[in-house]
């Protein structure tokens, strides 16, 4: 490698050649190309300036950056360096990063290169400012020096105690104080709050004397804690804190203790006006060892409670009344009196509190109630004489409510009631006018009645609503009771307010006593005036009903004989479950009425009939009724039922005449039954029910016999009609029957209906609607065939 002497010799030769003639001198372009070639060969390492006329070595660039940093006072922006040195910014940033790694005294913040000397001078400036103002915040320094708050905080805190003679606030480290500033604040705060004699918001003192808020709260807390200031800082170190001097607290305590000792009570409002925000807590803390009763608006000492309790005991022993307001302090409200009395009477069962401040004994209430004994009896007797029917309806309603004893009985009777209603709708017209109700499966719907409600609320809507007891059987209104009590000489000294309360308390018991008296008088009247007229009228109604149903059952039995054994068995069971059960229910209901047993006729079930049997006093009637009820389930069928019915309707029992109608009357019944079926068939739109009515009507026309069949027997009846109709007519019935069965099967198959989207069902419905007029026409215009007439 060439030494410096050789380099100097070469440089001198180059300079001599450049100063010689133009032919030997290197041009500027040649020099640039030579340097460019040297750079490519990595023989030299230089940096172009922005204008391309000068070159700098990296060492020269670092030197010029340091010189520029010194010239600018230790802080320079990298953009300003680019303009000063005229080198691309990327070269400057690269060199600055190398300088930062090599020199720990340099720092790069927000694109600015800062030397330690600048930070020291910044700290000196801050210290000078602190000595002048006493207070400096980092927010202020951030605005002045344009540096981040965290960086300034780091710089300042690193020089506290050395360059900067100050201290940071413990609560807020971004605030600096001088010791002299803190001493001045402490003296001003001590002087200002030493003069306070009542609770004062700290914020008002701060604004009045221009104190620093956080420093003031800190110093005030320290002074009050160490005892230098006689007072308490309420609310802690917060903006809304209040300073309460000890002299004010002592005055409060002296006033409270003196007032309680002299008067025996303390008023919460008075304590609040005195400046005690939570009176109850203050009293509990101050008088924790003393027995004090806390009320709504005041508190009282034990002697007052004992005096009131003694007066209450006297009232209970003497049977009188007491107004406790005169015994309590004037600041006590009726609510306070009520609260105190409620606690006292817990151990005194004979004491009753009225109108918040009155106490009466049980004997006093009994005496007031006894004053109405004679008026209750007189009014009850008069009411029964003037309007016994109203009481009768009320009594029946009560018996209905009492007749349902258990939840299981309620559910069973409700289900049987639904079946009864559906069956009666299908057999409307007891005198030969039944509609032969078709059995169709229906979805059960559960009725959600409220728990505990009287079942009388859910009786049949056809019943006449009974007026409420509170209105029709009320002994006296509350105002009338008040007037009557005020007129009585025994209560002349009782205040009107107490009389009103007593009247309100006596209203329900007196009304109940009046209702009991009404029932007693009514039962006595019913027992004394019970005549045979009512019983005879019930017997006549029963006779008409049983005779009519028995005739219908006999006519239906005649139609059963037209079919085979299997169909006959089904028709017999259906007749026993419907018409024969109606006859049995009517007889049981009659016996329940004459025996004064309360039942619900609309929900007559096997359980209800068993209840009636258990309540009957006559053993003979009970045995007959047991056999009649058993015949409904007997294997002998209708013969056994008719035999038991004739027995109970015979002499010695109901004495009801059961006669088979004459031919003329029978034909009339059949004709009326046919007309009823025709009218129902015309109005019927349901294909299944229409087919049911149609076959029933055709049997009546061709066989001159009434039948009472369930829906499941329709196919057998259609088969029976084959010999009595033309082939085309019977084909129409078969077609209608097939469509009805297909539609019922389709509607019952839920999965199939969802899969096919209801198209098949719509197809069946359309076909049935087209066929329905033909079916109705066949039945309505049917005439008796000759073969049937001959057979008859």
């Amino acid at each position: 490698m060439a030494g410096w002497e050789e380099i100097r010799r070469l440089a001198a030769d180059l300079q001599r050649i450049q100063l010689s003639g133009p032919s030997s001198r290197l041009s500027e372009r040649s020099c640039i190309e030579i340097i460019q070639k040297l750079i490519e060969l990595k023989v030299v390492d230089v940096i172009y300036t922005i204008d391309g006329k000068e070159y700098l070595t990296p060492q020269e660039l670092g030197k010029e950056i340091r010189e520029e940093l010194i010239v600018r006072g230790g802080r320079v922006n990298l953009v300003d360096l680019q303009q000063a040195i005229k080198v691309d910014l990327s070269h400057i940033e690269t060199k600055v990063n190398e300088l930062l790694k090599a020199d720990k005294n340099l720092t790069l913040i927000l694109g600015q290169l800062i030397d330690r000397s600048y930070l020291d001078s910044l700290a000196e400036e801050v210290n000078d400012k602190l000595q002048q103002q006493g207070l400096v915040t980092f927010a202020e320094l951030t605005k002045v020096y344009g540096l981040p708050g965290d960086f300034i905080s780091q710089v300042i805190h690193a020089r506290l105690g050395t360059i900067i003679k100050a201290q940071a606030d413990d609560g807020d480290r971004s605030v600096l104080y001088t010791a002299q500033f803190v001493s001045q604040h402490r003296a001003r705060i001590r002087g200002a709050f030493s003069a306070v004699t009542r609770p004062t918001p700290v914020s008002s003192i701060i604004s009045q004397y221009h104190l620093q808020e956080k420093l003031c709260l800190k110093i005030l807390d320290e002074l009050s804690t160490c005892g230098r200031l006689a007072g308490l800082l309420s609310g802690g170190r917060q903006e809304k804190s209040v300073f309460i001097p000890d002299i004010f607290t002592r005055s409060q305590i002296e006033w409270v203790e003196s007032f309680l000792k002299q008067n025996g009570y303390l008023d919460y409002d008075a304590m609040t006006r005195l400046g005690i925000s939570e009176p109850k807590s203050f009293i509990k803390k101050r008088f924790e060892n003393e027995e004090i009763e806390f009320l709504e608006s005041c508190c009282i000492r034990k002697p007052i409670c004992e005096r009131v309790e003694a007066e209450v005991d006297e009232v209970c022993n003497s049977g009188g009344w007491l107004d406790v307001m005169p015994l309590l302090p004037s600041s006590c409200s009726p609510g306070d009196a009520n609260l105190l009395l409620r606690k006292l009477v817990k151990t005194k069962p004979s004491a009753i509190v009225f109108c918040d401040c009155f106490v009466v004994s049980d004997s006093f209430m009994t005496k007031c109630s006894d004053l109405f004994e004679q008026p209750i009896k007189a009014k009850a007797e008069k009411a029964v004489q003037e309007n016994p029917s109203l009481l009768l309806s009320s009594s029946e309603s009560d018996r209905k409510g009492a007749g349902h004893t258990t939840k299981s009985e309620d559910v069973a009777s409700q289900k049987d009631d639904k079946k009864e209603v559906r069956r009666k709708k299908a057999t409307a017209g007891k005198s030969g006018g039944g509609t032969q109700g078709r059995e169709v499966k229906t979805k059960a719907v559960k009725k959600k009645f409220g728990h505990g409600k009287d079942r009388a609320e859910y009786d049949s809507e056809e019943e006449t609503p009974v007026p409420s007891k509170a209105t029709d059987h009320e002994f006296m209104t509350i105002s009338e009771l008040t007037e009557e009590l005020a007129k009585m000489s025994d209560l002349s000294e009782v205040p009107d307010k107490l009389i009103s309360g007593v009247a309100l308390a006596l209203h329900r018991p007196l009304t109940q006593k009046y209702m009991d008296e009404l029932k007693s008088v009514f039962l006595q009247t019913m027992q004394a005036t019970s005549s045979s007229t009512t019983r005879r009228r019930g017997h006549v109604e029963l006779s008409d009903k049983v005779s009519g149903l028995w005739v219908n059952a006999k006519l239906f039995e005649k139609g059963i004989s037209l079919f085979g054994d299997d169909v006959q068995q089904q028709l017999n069971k259906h007749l026993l479950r419907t018409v024969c059960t109606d006859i049995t229910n009517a007889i049981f209901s009659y016996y329940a009425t004459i025996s004064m047993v309360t039942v619900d006729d609309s929900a007559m079930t096997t359980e209800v009939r068993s209840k009636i049997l258990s309540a009957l006093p006559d053993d003979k009637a009970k045995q007959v009724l047991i056999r009649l009820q058993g015949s409904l389930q007997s294997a002998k069928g209708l013969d056994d039922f008719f035999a038991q019915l004739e027995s109970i309707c015979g002499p010695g029992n109901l004495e009801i005449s059961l006669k088979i109608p004459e031919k003329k009357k029978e034909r009339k019944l059949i004709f009326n039954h046919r007309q009823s079926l025709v009218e129902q068939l015309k109005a019927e739109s349901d294909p299944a029910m229409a087919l049911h009515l149609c076959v029933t009507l055709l049997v009546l026309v061709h066989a001159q016999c009434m039948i009472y069949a369930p829906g499941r027997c329709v196919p057998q009846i259609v088969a029976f009609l084959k010999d009595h109709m033309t082939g085309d007519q019977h084909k129409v019935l078969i077609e209608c029957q097939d469509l009805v069965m297909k539609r019922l099967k389709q509607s019952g198959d839920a999965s199939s209906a969802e899969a096919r989207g209801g198209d098949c069902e719509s197809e069946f419905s359309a076909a049935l609607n087209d066929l329905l007029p033909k079916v109705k026409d066949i039945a309505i215009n049917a005439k008796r065939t000759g073969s049937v007439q001959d057979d008859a």
Side-chain angles (χ1 to χ4, degrees):
M1 186 175 181
W4 278 109
E5 291 296 332
E6 185 177 359
I7 291 174
R8 289 192 185 94
R9 184 176 59 79
L10 292 173
D13 293 341
L14 178 61
Q15 183 178 10
R16 186 174 61 257
I17 292 172
Q18 289 296 101
L19 293 176
S20 62
S23 59
S24 304
R25 186 171 54 191
L26 293 174
S27 64
E28 182 176 352
R29 182 177 182 83
S30 299
C31 293
I32 293 174
E33 290 177 355
I34 292 172
I35 295 175
Q36 184 66 32
K37 186 64 176 178
L38 292 174
I39 292 174
E40 291 176 0
L41 296 174
K42 296 183 180 181
V43 176
V44 295
D45 183 13
V46 294
I47 299 172
Y48 288 101
T49 58
I50 296 175
D51 55 9
K53 297 181 179 180
E54 296 179 357
Y55 300 98
L56 283 85
T57 62
Q59 294 79 8
E60 181 64 21
L61 178 60
K63 178 182 177 183
E64 292 190 10
I65 289 174
R66 287 183 177 277
E67 291 174 352
E68 192 67 27
L69 182 62
I70 294 172
V71 170
R72 294 178 180 266
R75 175 180 176 181
V76 62
N77 196 310
L78 298 186
V79 177
D80 296 337
L81 281 176
Q82 177 190 11
Q83 296 176 357
I85 302 175
K86 296 180 180 181
V87 176
D88 188 79
L89 185 60
S90 61
H91 297 297
I92 294 177
E93 290 177 349
T94 302
K95 195 62 180 179
V96 166
N97 290 331
E98 293 177 1
L99 294 175
L100 291 173
K101 293 178 181 179
D103 192 349
K104 300 298 182 182
N105 293 326
L106 297 178
T107 305
L108 182 65
I109 297 295
L110 298 179
Q112 300 181 63
L113 185 62
I114 300 176
D115 192 7
R116 184 180 183 84
S117 59
Y118 174 80
L119 298 179
D120 293 339
S121 63
L122 184 148
E124 293 175 357
E125 292 178 6
V126 170
N127 184 59
D128 295 340
K129 194 171 186 178
L130 273 170
Q131 302 308 320
Q132 294 176 3
Q133 299 179 359
L135 170 68
V136 169
T137 62
F138 287 174
E140 180 183 354
L141 296 178
T142 300
K143 294 180 181 180
V144 173
Y145 294 102
L147 293 173
D150 295 340
F151 179 72
I152 290 181
S153 174
Q154 182 181 357
V155 172
I156 298 300
H157 284 105
R159 290 161 176 78
L160 281 178
T162 55
I163 299 176
I164 301 175
K165 308 298 182 181
Q167 63 184 21
D169 190 354
D170 296 335
D172 186 2
R173 302 290 292 176
S174 64
V175 180
L176 300 177
Y177 308 110
T178 61
Q180 183 180 2
F181 181 82
V182 174
S183 300
Q184 291 176 355
H185 255 60
R186 185 181 298 274
R188 294 172 65 190
I189 291 169
R190 186 172 58 248
F193 284 93
S194 296
V196 172
T197 58
R198 64 178 60 189
T200 303
V202 177
S203 58
S204 62
I205 302 295
I206 291 175
S207 60
Q208 183 176 357
Y209 293 99
H210 307 288
L211 301 175
Q212 209 284 328
E213 180 181 344
K214 295 183 179 180
L215 181 61
C216 176
L217 291 173
K218 175 186 175 183
I219 295 174
L220 184 59
D221 188 24
E222 293 175 353
L223 293 175
S224 60
T225 301
C226 67
R228 181 61 184 83
L229 280 178
L232 175 66
L233 184 61
S234 176
R237 300 183 184 183
Q238 299 179 5
E239 182 180 355
K240 296 182 180 180
S241 57
V242 178
F243 180 75
I244 303 174
D246 285 348
I247 186 173
F248 179 80
T249 304
R250 288 196 299 271
S251 301
Q252 282 181 330
I253 295 173
E254 290 175 1
W255 184 91
V256 169
E257 291 178 346
S258 175
F259 191 91
L260 182 62
K261 183 177 181 181
Q262 294 177 7
N263 301 283
Y265 75 96
L266 285 173
D267 186 6
Y268 298 153
D269 290 339
M271 296 179 68
T272 302
R273 291 192 297 270
L274 195 63
I276 301 175
S277 58
E278 297 180 359
K280 287 186 179 181
S281 302
F282 180 86
I283 295 171
K284 289 178 181 179
K285 184 177 180 180
R286 189 67 189 175
F287 305 99
E288 57 183 356
N289 296 326
E290 188 171 351
E291 296 183 10
I292 295 178
E293 189 69 35
F294 291 90
L295 305 177
E296 291 181 354
S297 60
C298 65
C299 64
I300 56 178
R301 296 180 68 188
K302 188 176 181 180
I304 298 179
C305 297
E306 292 176 346
R307 183 169 70 248
V308 174
E309 187 174 8
E311 293 293 335
V312 172
D313 291 337
E314 179 65 22
V315 167
C316 295
N317 296 330
S318 63
W321 58 275
L322 171 67
D323 182 6
V324 299
M325 291 304 293
L327 304 176
L328 298 176
S330 58
S331 61
C332 287
S333 64
D336 295 327
N338 180 56
L339 184 60
L340 178 61
L341 289 176
R342 293 294 178 188
K343 294 180 180 179
L344 294 178
V345 300
K346 285 182 179 180
T347 58
K348 299 173 175 57
S350 60
I352 305 172
V353 179
F354 281 107
C355 305
D356 293 336
C357 57
F358 292 96
V359 180
V360 300
S361 62
D362 281 343
S363 57
F364 178 83
M365 295 299 295
T366 303
K367 180 176 68 174
C368 293
S369 179
D370 293 343
L371 296 175
F372 293 95
E373 287 289 341
Q374 294 303 322
I376 286 176
K377 292 182 179 179
K379 186 172 181 179
E381 294 174 356
K382 184 178 179 181
V384 172
Q385 293 174 1
E386 292 179 352
N387 193 6
S389 61
L390 182 62
L391 187 61
L392 177 61
S393 63
S394 176
S395 178
E396 290 176 350
S397 177
D398 291 342
R399 288 200 301 271
K400 287 180 182 180
H404 302 276
T405 57
T406 63
K407 183 175 180 181
S408 61
E409 292 176 352
D410 290 345
V411 175
S413 62
Q414 187 178 9
K415 291 181 178 178
D416 292 337
D417 182 47
K418 292 178 181 178
K419 295 179 181 178
E420 185 75 13
V421 171
R422 290 198 297 268
R423 185 175 55 75
K424 287 185 177 180
K425 288 182 179 178
T427 59
K430 295 297 182 180
S431 299
T435 62
Q436 320 303 323
R438 181 178 180 85
E439 293 183 352
V440 181
K441 293 183 179 180
T442 58
K443 184 179 180 181
V445 179
K446 183 179 179 182
K447 293 184 178 180
K448 299 181 180 179
F449 295 133
H451 295 288
K453 291 188 177 179
D454 190 354
R455 288 184 58 84
E457 294 178 14
Y458 310 109
D459 286 343
S460 173
E461 295 179 357
E462 296 175 0
E463 295 181 2
T464 304
V466 179
S468 63
K469 299 177 186 178
T471 303
D472 297 308
H473 303 311
E474 186 180 38
F475 173 57
M476 286 185 181
T477 62
I478 296 176
S479 59
E480 291 173 345
L481 282 176
T482 303
E483 293 177 0
E484 291 297 325
L485 288 172
K487 293 177 183 178
M488 295 178 180
S489 57
D490 295 344
L491 306 177
S492 58
E493 297 180 358
V494 179
D496 294 339
K497 187 176 181 180
L498 178 57
I499 288 180
S500 299
V502 172
L504 181 61
L506 289 177
H507 180 259
R508 185 182 293 273
L510 290 179
T511 300
Q512 184 60 42
K513 188 179 292 185
Y514 174 64
M515 287 295 301
D516 296 340
E517 186 66 24
L518 271 177
K519 292 178 182 178
S520 176
V521 174
F522 175 72
L523 291 176
Q524 294 175 5
T525 305
M526 287 293 293
Q527 292 174 359
T529 60
S530 60
S531 62
S532 61
T533 304
T534 304
R535 185 169 182 175
R536 189 163 51 249
R537 183 168 58 249
H539 186 271
V540 171
E541 294 176 355
L542 176 67
S543 178
D544 294 341
K545 186 174 183 179
V546 171
S547 298
L549 291 173
W550 180 78
V551 170
N552 285 345
K554 281 294 185 180
L555 294 176
F556 291 140
E557 182 187 23
K558 184 179 179 181
I560 293 174
S561 62
L562 298 173
F563 301 94
D565 293 340
D566 294 340
V567 180
Q568 284 187 15
Q569 186 178 4
Q570 295 185 39
L571 296 177
N572 282 333
K573 289 182 179 180
H574 185 64
L575 193 59
L576 284 171
R577 286 198 302 266
T578 54
V579 179
C580 297
T581 301
D582 287 343
I583 297 173
T584 304
N585 290 341
I587 294 174
F588 269 79
S589 179
Y590 172 75
Y591 272 100
T593 302
I594 63 177
S595 301
M596 303 297 289
V597 178
T598 304
V599 293
D600 187 359
D601 294 340
S602 62
M604 186 70 72
T605 62
T606 303
E607 290 80 4
V608 176
R609 291 196 294 268
S610 300
K611 180 183 176 183
I612 295 173
L613 288 173
S614 63
L616 289 179
D618 188 357
D619 292 336
K620 179 181 178 182
K622 185 184 297 185
Q623 294 300 323
V624 176
L625 289 174
I626 290 174
R627 290 196 296 272
L628 178 64
Q629 179 175 241
S631 65
L632 295 175
Q633 306 293 334
S634 175
K636 298 179 181 179
L638 291 173
D639 294 337
D640 187 23
F641 174 78
F642 288 140
Q644 299 300 331
L645 180 62
E646 291 173 359
S647 174
I648 198 171
C649 291
N653 292 312
L654 293 177
E655 297 183 355
I656 296 175
S657 178
L658 301 177
K659 293 182 180 180
I660 297 177
E662 300 175 354
K663 291 291 184 181
K664 183 178 180 180
K665 185 177 181 181
E666 180 178 344
R667 285 195 297 271
K668 185 178 180 181
L669 291 173
I670 293 175
F671 177 77
N672 292 336
H673 187 60
R674 177 179 179 178
Q675 292 300 114
S676 176
L677 290 176
V678 170
E679 293 298 325
Q680 294 178 51
L681 181 57
K682 289 179 179 180
E684 186 60 54
S685 60
D686 180 50
M689 183 59 71
L691 179 61
H692 192 177
L693 293 172
C694 175
V695 297
T696 304
L697 182 57
L698 288 173
V699 172
L700 179 61
V701 171
H702 293 297
Q704 289 296 298
C705 290
M706 296 165 47
I707 62 170
Y708 191 52
R712 61 178 174 271
C713 292
V714 169
Q716 291 86 342
I717 301 174
V718 172
F720 168 79
L721 291 171
K722 182 177 181 181
D723 298 334
H724 302 274
M725 303 173 61
T726 64
D728 294 337
Q729 291 177 338
H730 190 262
K731 185 177 179 181
V732 172
L733 292 182
I734 292 295
E735 184 180 357
C736 183
Q737 174 185 318
D738 293 341
L739 290 174
V740 168
M741 294 181 68
K742 289 178 180 179
R743 193 182 73 161
L744 290 176
K745 182 180 179 181
Q746 185 68 29
S747 61
D749 191 353
S751 61
S752 178
E754 292 178 1
R756 301 181 183 180
D759 293 340
C760 292
E761 186 174 357
S762 301
E763 180 181 352
F764 295 148
S765 299
L768 284 171
N769 292 333
D770 295 339
L771 196 61
L772 188 59
K774 296 180 182 180
V775 175
K776 290 185 177 181
D777 182 67
I778 291 172
I780 294 173
N781 299 321
K783 293 182 179 181
R784 185 181 181 189
T785 61
S787 61
V788 176
Q789 290 178 354
D790 296 339
D791 295 339

